[in-house]
Structure formats: structure tokens, C-alpha cells
Amino acid sequence: MSQDKVLSVNNLAINFKTDNGILKAVRDISFDLNRGETLCIVGESGSGKSVTSKAIMGILANNAIIESGNIMYRGENLLEVSEDEFYKIRGHKIGMIFQDPLSSLNPIVRIGKQITEAMLINSDKLKLMYNDLISDDLIRYKNALAKMSIEIANEKKKLEAYISELNAKENVSAGERAADRQAIRERKLAFKEFEKNTRRTYEAKAKELKAVLEETEKKAKQQVQEYKEKVISEHKTRLAELEKKLAAASGEEKTRLGKEIEEEKLAYINKLKITKAEAKKRALAIMREVGIPDPERRYKQFPFEFSGGMRQRIVIAIALTASPEILICDEPTTALDVTIQAQILELINRIKAERNLSCIFITHDLGVVANMADRVAVMYAGKIVEYGTSEEIFYDPKHPYTWALLSSIPDVDSKEKLEAIPGTPPNMIYPPKGDAFAARSRYAMNIDYREEPPMFKVSDTHYAATWLLDSHAPKVEMPKIVSERIRISLEEDRCDE
């Protein structure tokens, strides 16, 4: 497999401002996505999986605060690009499949229209040509303005969060309260200075970029006009030739020339726009690709006439219409029964291989990803606690939380009793000190309640954040149910060989 990185998340931290305080949803996570691979992000609800995917797609809620980090795609930080650029990326370069296909589809619009909608919205090929010609300069200009707004907005959110934390303090003395008020005044002044300097820097840069853009727009209009005139001229010449031949023809020759004239007219139209007929043709091809039987009939039906599995196939078809290079699957099989789950997972695997897609697969169930993942990131309380290849996570897990997830998966071969994970995830408005999983772990040591463990290196591709890997830690055996499953799996693998 190629190790060409298509996406890189670095030290990403995302908070949310809530009525009860600042919620630490994602805490300093990093991972890469390589071309053609599937990275599975696994964890309980509230672990930060979906927040991470929404940050990649640029659809975070308004109360989100990007505390730190970046998401690099094609040399640009997706946390700083303008909405104009995200419009070109979202769906076109990075597609997403959500967990509930029924809520992703409009119940009163026919399936065919929903699949072809994006194609027909962008049907004017002359407009698309013009947009492509000015795209780079337009994006540079818009991004300069967007970065200015984003930097100021993030700094303002941090200021508001700082003020909220100080104001929420209880049982403070008059002296401490006065010191807090002074600290708030200083932070407000610092913010005003930051805003002024940021605007000055970016507005000067934006002015230069706008002048470049205006020149590019003039050239682009001229190129588009020249292309249009060339297409019209070639069409008129070809049509005149065919009509002249038709006038002198008879019998079968006349029929053949009549068809050529119709084909020439259609080819002319297709050079200028995507027709409904062309969009339908593409839609039917994609419906066949995702395994929809009798697509010509199904094209005219409504979502309620499809089963849950077929609706999910339609959602996948819509995601594929723009031929994205990255596909994010956010728990796409949660609402489906086990048999249909397997079919959808097999479909995603097949399409990924055929199109050489890179895939981020988000789930709470390690069992679902066993045959999907090339690499796995296990998340808990906003952090990645273990990271490795699929084989390393399933055959050599190191973190107690990974053990707990593996212990809770039903298995027909294992005779050990399934183990539930005790307790509940922590309240991330008040994240625990030390290892966030310590309160729920039977293997927790005193240090787990005092200090957060670093990422210990197990191999060049395998890392885990647990003090059990420290050289001073006592030797602890993984749960019997996990070791037994690994033993059975390895024996089955040897038998298959």
C-alpha cells in the first residue's frame, strides 16, 4: 500500500462553549490518512469521533472553539480555508456518509432527483470552466479574508471562555476577585490589539490578492468566450456539412445522416452543459455500482419505498457522484441489522478498492471494523489512547480501554463471559486529572490519577497511552476473554494457511 499521505490531523484540540462551561471534546489528537487505506476511529459515544469528522468536513457547530492544531489537506489547513473553498472540497473531494440514511434523504423527493441534484446544480460547463480558471486566485483572496476572520473569532472565543471561567469561580476573596477583574481587563486590551494588528496584516495582503484576482477574471472571461465561440463555430460547420449531405441522400444513407445530425446536436449541448439525460445516465451507472437492482424503476421511487440497507446504498451513491478521494463513514451501519451491516461494509470495501479511495470509518463497535481497517485509532474522552495497525490492535492490544472494548464484543467461539465496561465516561466540562479511563479501569495505579500518560511506543506503527507500558509498572496480563480470543483467532489463521 502506498504511504502517500492525503490527510494529516496534527495536535487538534476542539472545545465547545456550553451553558454549563467549556466542554473539552477533542484533546490534542494527531493521525494521518494514507492514500487507499481505511483508518477506523473507535470509541464510545462522546469520545470525540464525530466532532473530529465534522471538523474535517467544516461543519462544526457555531459554539465550537478550535483551541489548537491543524487539519492539512493538499497543503492547506482546512481549519483556515474560506467557505468558498470548502464548497469545492466538501462533497467533491471529501465525501461523507452519515449513520441514519432516512434522515439524510428528503422523504418527498424521488431518489433519482436526489442523486442528480448536485450534477444539475453544476450543469453549466462554461460557468464551471470560468470558476476553474479563477479558482486559485479567488481561493487565495477568500482564504486571506477567512483566515483573518477565523483567527479573530477564535481569539474572541478564547477570551469569552477565559472570562466565563473566572466569573464561575466560587468562594474567592475580594482581593482575588479584584485581581481577576484586572486580568480580564488586560486580556480584553490584548484582544483589541491582536484584532487591530491581525486586520492590518490581512487587509493589506487581501488588497494585493484582489488586484491579481481582477486581472485573472478578465483573462478568464476572454478564454471562456473564445471557447464558446469555437464550439458554436465548429458545430455550425459540422451541422452545415451534414445537412448538405442529407439533402442529396436517400434511403438508408438519409436515415444514417439524420441520426448523425441528432448526435451532433446532442454533442454540442453536452459541451456546454450537463443535460438531464446525461445526469440520469450517470446516476443509473452509480446505482448499479452500489448494487441497486432494477435502477431504472428505482430511480423514480421515493425513499420510503426502499429498505434501510437500500437507503444506505443510495446515500453512498450520492456521496460517490462527485468522485471524492476521501470518504468519511460516520457509523454508517448503526441503524441496520447484522446481515445488512455486513453487506454495506462489503460494498464500502469493494468501492474503496475499485476507486482507490481513502476512508475514515467511525464506529463505537470494534467488531464492525475487524475486516475493514488497515489502521485503528481508539479514542476515549477526546484523546487517542491507542493507535496501530488492525493486526496490532486486535492481536496485541495494550490499553485497558481497548481490552474492555474487545471484551464486550459477542463471539461464538469464546466460552468466556462478556464483560461490560463499568461506570460512565467522564464529564468533559471537568476532565479528570491523569488518565481519563482510570476511574473505570481495574488496572489503574496511583499515578493514573495524578498524571496523564504519554504515548508509549510499542512498535514503529503501534502506540498506546497507558502507564502499564512504563518500565516501572508491574506486569499485568490482559483479560482472559481477550487473550483467549486472540489464541483462537491465531489458530484459525494457521489452519487457513
Side-chain angles (χ1 to χ4, degrees), residues 436 448 460:
D448 283 301
D460 288 341

Side-chain angles (χ1 to χ4, degrees), residues 297-308:
R297 180 175 63 86
R298 292 292 209 170
Y299 183 89
K300 301 173 185 175
Q301 292 183 326
F302 292 93
F304 67 82
E305 297 179 84
F306 287 70
S307 65

Side-chain angles (χ1 to χ4, degrees), residues 129-139 213 216-217 220:
M129 180 183 175
Y130 173 77
N131 288 338
D132 283 340
L133 289 170
I134 69 167
S135 176
D136 291 344
D137 289 330
L138 176 64
I139 284 168
L213 173 62
T216 302
E217 286 174 335

Side-chain angles (χ1 to χ4, degrees), residues 437-493:
F437 189 61
R440 305 174 71 187
S441 173
R442 70 173 76 167
Y443 308 99
M445 301 175 287
N446 287 334
I447 193 171
D448 283 301
Y449 296 95
R450 299 197 311 269
E451 292 184 41
E452 192 174 282
M455 269 288 186
F456 288 93
K457 181 179 178 179
V458 182
S459 74
D460 288 341
T461 54
H462 189 187
Y463 297 83
T466 170
W467 286 115
L468 294 176
L469 293 175
D470 189 272
S471 58
H472 299 96
K475 185 173 175 58
V476 173
E477 298 293 334
M478 69 176 71
K480 188 176 179 182
I481 184 172
V482 178
S483 58
E484 182 67 11
R485 284 180 176 178
I486 292 171
R487 183 188 66 78
I488 292 169
S489 295
L490 289 172
E491 285 179 359
E492 288 176 348
D493 289 345

Side-chain angles (χ1 to χ4, degrees), residues 290 309-310 313 316 333 337-349:
V290 299
M310 284 296 168
R313 288 171 187 267
I316 294 171
T333 60
D337 64 49
V338 178
T339 306
I340 304 302
Q341 257 189 22
Q343 292 175 5
I344 295 298
L345 294 177
E346 185 181 338
L347 171 65
I348 292 171
N349 262 342

Side-chain angles (χ1 to χ4, degrees), residues 31-198:
F31 62 83
D32 297 324
L33 178 67
N34 297 321
R35 189 172 303 282
E37 81 164 349
T38 296
L39 170 70
C40 288
I41 302 178
V42 186
E44 291 171 275
S45 296
S47 61
K49 310 182 303 296
S50 293
V51 171
T52 303
S53 67
K54 287 177 179 177
I56 295 170
M57 292 296 290
I59 53 173
L60 284 171
N62 289 333
N63 63 332
I65 304 169
I66 307 298
E67 187 68 22
S68 63
N70 59 57
I71 301 172
M72 302 305 296
Y73 172 69
R74 293 190 170 190
E76 288 196 279
N77 181 5
L78 294 183
L79 299 177
E80 295 180 345
V81 302
S82 64
E83 184 56 32
D84 293 77
E85 183 169 4
F86 243 127
Y87 178 77
K88 296 174 75 68
I89 294 171
R90 192 187 298 120
H92 299 276
K93 302 296 182 184
I94 306 177
M96 191 164 186
I97 302 168
F98 296 94
Q99 62 177 277
D100 182 5
L102 191 58
S103 64
S104 300
L105 297 169
N106 189 326
I108 59 171
V109 176
R110 295 182 193 276
I111 288 296
K113 186 174 181 181
Q114 297 193 57
I115 297 175
T116 59
E117 185 176 22
M119 286 187 267
L120 293 174
I121 286 174
N122 299 298
S123 64
D124 188 336
K125 291 185 178 180
L126 293 178
K127 186 176 179 181
L128 290 174
M129 180 183 175
Y130 173 77
N131 288 338
D132 283 340
L133 289 170
I134 69 167
S135 176
D136 291 344
D137 289 330
L138 176 64
I139 284 168
R140 288 190 194 99
Y141 170 64
K142 292 284 187 180
N143 281 355
L145 297 177
K147 285 177 183 178
M148 177 184 73
S149 299
I150 289 167
E151 285 187 21
I152 292 171
N154 272 335
E155 203 62 29
K156 187 176 181 181
K157 286 178 180 178
K158 289 178 185 177
L159 170 64
E160 291 170 347
Y162 176 75
I163 293 170
S164 295
E165 284 184 7
L166 290 188
N167 289 339
K169 286 164 63 176
E170 297 179 355
N171 303 319
V172 295
S173 66
E176 287 176 307
R177 184 63 73 192
D180 286 346
R181 284 197 292 269
Q182 179 59 29
I184 289 171
R185 281 194 291 271
E186 289 174 2
R187 283 289 289 262
K188 284 183 176 179
L189 287 171
F191 169 73
K192 286 182 179 178
E193 188 65 20
F194 170 84
E195 183 180 18
K196 184 174 73 175
N197 291 336
T198 302

Side-chain angles (χ1 to χ4, degrees), residues 194-210:
F194 170 84
E195 183 180 18
K196 184 174 73 175
N197 291 336
T198 302
R199 287 190 184 281
R200 185 188 301 123
T201 301
Y202 279 107
E203 283 173 356
K205 186 177 180 181
K207 188 176 180 181
E208 294 174 8
L209 293 172
K210 189 174 183 182

